[in-house]
Amino acid sequence: MTIVSDLGTVIEMSKLDLTTPFDELVELRSLLTTQEIAEMTGLRRETLSRARSDSRFQRRTAKTLDDLYLVVTRLRPMLGDDVIHLAAVMRRPQAVLGQRSIAELLKEGRVEVALEHLAPMEPTEEERLANLRLDP
């Protein structure tokens, strides 16, 4: 019984996202300039450019970077190889967001509104059947 319980814990632990705020910032910098990140988050450019892997982030900074990272992670599959236009897409007013841009919502701390509209689409019945796996 203990083995099954421990295995379940290991499986659940493997699902955790252990990405640090600095790791998120590094990945964001590969897609956006430091200035773009600052504009979209309301963080100071100097805060972002001086960040180091061995330094701690303030809670607000870490939360803001995490919000941007979540949005970018959801947008990337939609953009495919066209990530060069990521900043433009995030700044463009969207009808589904009441003519507000994703960047505006992020700056206001309303990431949940943007994520709601970027949620993955529900798979169709055919896709569910194709992905169905039965235990042997």
Side-chain angles (χ1 to χ4, degrees):
M1 186 73 162
T2 304
I3 294 173
V4 172
S5 171
D6 292 342
L7 180 60
T9 302
V10 169
I11 290 170
E12 288 303 310
M13 290 294 291
S14 69
K15 295 177 185 176
L16 292 177
D17 181 8
L18 301 175
T19 306
T20 67
F22 183 78
D23 294 335
E24 290 176 350
L25 179 58
V26 169
E27 190 170 336
L28 288 169
R29 281 181 180 160
S30 70
L31 302 168
L32 300 164
T33 67
T34 302
Q35 183 64 36
E36 289 169 334
I37 296 170
E39 289 171 2
M40 290 183 203
T41 60
L43 296 171
R44 291 181 53 220
R45 189 173 183 277
E46 295 79 18
T47 300
L48 300 171
S49 61
R50 292 179 185 161
R52 295 187 323 268
S53 62
D54 60 344
S55 62
R56 292 186 55 168
F57 284 71
Q58 290 183 0
R59 187 171 291 159
R60 177 187 171 277
T61 303
K63 169 78 170 98
T64 303
L65 287 173
D66 189 51
D67 290 349
L68 177 59
Y69 183 77
L70 282 171
V71 168
V72 168
T73 302
R74 296 261 179 98
L75 276 174
R76 281 187 79 179
M78 295 176 200
L79 295 173
D81 294 334
D82 201 19
V83 292
I84 195 161
H85 299 291
L86 176 64
V89 169
M90 292 183 67
R91 286 189 197 112
R92 184 174 302 127
Q94 303 292 331
V96 296
L97 301 174
Q99 293 305 318
R100 313 273 326 253
S101 71
I102 295 170
E104 286 175 304
L105 293 172
L106 280 170
K107 200 168 185 177
E108 295 169 4
R110 299 177 56 208
V111 68
E112 68 283 345
V113 175
L115 290 174
E116 181 181 307
H117 293 286
L118 296 174
M121 306 234 344
E122 284 292 317
T124 64
E125 189 67 31
E126 289 177 5
E127 291 171 331
R128 278 189 234 148
L129 287 173
N131 293 328
L132 181 66
R133 295 203 174 101
L134 300 174
D135 290 333

